[in-house]
Amino acid sequence: MTLGVAPSSSSDIWKVLLVLLAVFVVLMVVIYFVTRKRNADFTFTVGQNERHEIRYWRSNWSGRMRITVDGDPTVRKFEFLGFPLTKKYGFRTGTTECHDVTIVKTRPLFVAWMRSQPVQAFVDGALVATHS
């Protein structure tokens, strides 16, 4: 005696899994296009006589972050999950005219990957650039 439940075949399970995979892919594509507008990408210059161009770039979708000085990578991180709401990256640039550069990124508590994350750049303690 059966309870009105038809035996399922393995092909039905594969169809359900294929539909779930398609929904997941479509959702990821939509999230990518929504979050790429909120990527942080800005450049600022440090120094008077010895000038250096510093570029900060971060993808909200993938969590990849890169800081370059004159095109050379200085800091590379993958921040997919992070518990501190504020992250600081500090380094020194220049040979004859040295400067301490600090970049501070603050993320929102909830749904951070969907919202813009303000970034501030400090050179020798003075605020020189912001991005939000």
Side-chain angles (χ1 to χ4, degrees):
M1 178 170 154
T2 61
L3 298 173
V5 177
S8 66
S9 66
S10 63
S11 65
D12 291 341
I13 293 172
W14 285 110
K15 289 178 185 175
V16 169
L17 290 175
L18 188 60
V19 168
L20 288 175
L21 179 64
V23 168
F24 177 75
V25 168
V26 168
L27 184 64
M28 289 294 107
V29 168
V30 168
I31 289 173
Y32 169 74
F33 282 110
V34 168
T35 60
R36 78 177 186 169
K37 295 177 186 174
R38 292 172 180 81
N39 290 346
D41 187 7
F42 67 96
T43 305
F44 59 96
T45 306
V46 174
Q48 297 298 323
N49 299 325
E50 183 183 358
R51 299 181 69 83
H52 297 284
E53 183 180 88
I54 299 175
R55 180 179 182 219
Y56 175 89
W57 176 85
R58 183 179 187 283
S59 168
N60 273 8
W61 187 73
S62 66
R64 291 181 308 155
M65 188 273 304
R66 184 176 29 222
I67 300 172
T68 61
V69 177
D70 297 328
D72 297 325
T74 302
V75 179
R76 282 184 168 177
K77 295 275 184 185
F78 181 73
E79 306 171 334
F80 190 71
L81 292 173
F83 294 104
L85 296 179
T86 302
K87 290 199 177 186
K88 292 183 181 183
Y89 305 98
F91 55 93
R92 207 169 166 91
T93 186
T95 53
T96 58
E97 186 181 351
C98 294
H99 296 282
D100 292 319
V101 179
T102 305
I103 297 178
V104 179
K105 178 189 70 83
T106 307
R107 73 171 180 87
L109 183 59
F110 297 109
V111 199
W113 53 272
M114 289 285 289
R115 300 165 61 189
S116 61
Q117 301 182 18
V119 182
Q120 298 175 322
F122 297 90
V123 176
D124 298 328
L127 180 66
V128 295
T130 60
H131 183 274
S132 48

